[in-house]
């Protein structure tokens, strides 16, 4: 769908969102990896229950955390 933003645009917006919120002040890559596993567990549960809206939300949450890991390293 051409109305969707590109992955590059999404990544830039997420990274800027983190910077605007003074991230990674106090955050560590290890802490963010723990957060990624937490979000991954939620995604796994959504997939197991075949809950499409929760699957999409979980994918987005995992992507945001991966971007925040990039800011901490």
């Amino acid at each position: 769908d051409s109305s969707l933003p590109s992955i590059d645009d999404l990544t830039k917006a997420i990274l800027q969102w983190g910077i605007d919120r003074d991230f990674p002040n106090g955050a560590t890559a290890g802490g963010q990896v723990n957060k990624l596993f937490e979000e991954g567990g939620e995604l796994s549960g959504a997939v197991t229950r075949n809950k499409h809206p929760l699957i999409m939300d979980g994918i987005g949450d995992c992507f945001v955390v991966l971007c925040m890991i990039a800011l901490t390293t």
Side-chain angles (χ1 to χ4, degrees):
D1 185 337
S2 63
S3 65
L4 295 175
S6 72
I7 195 74
D8 288 338
D9 289 341
L10 285 173
T11 302
K12 288 175 188 172
I14 292 166
L15 292 172
Q16 189 60 55
W17 174 85
I19 292 166
D20 290 347
R21 282 153 187 78
D22 198 28
F23 194 92
N25 189 15
T28 64
Q32 289 302 296
V33 169
N34 288 338
K35 181 68 173 170
L36 179 61
F37 283 118
E38 177 186 322
E39 296 293 351
E42 292 177 14
L43 175 58
S44 176
V47 169
T48 300
R49 294 186 317 275
N50 198 29
K51 300 288 186 178
H52 189 262
L54 294 177
I55 293 168
M56 299 306 292
D57 183 62
I59 290 169
D61 289 347
C62 288
F63 188 70
V64 168
V65 174
L66 287 167
C67 290
M68 295 305 100
I69 292 170
L71 283 179
T72 63
T73 56

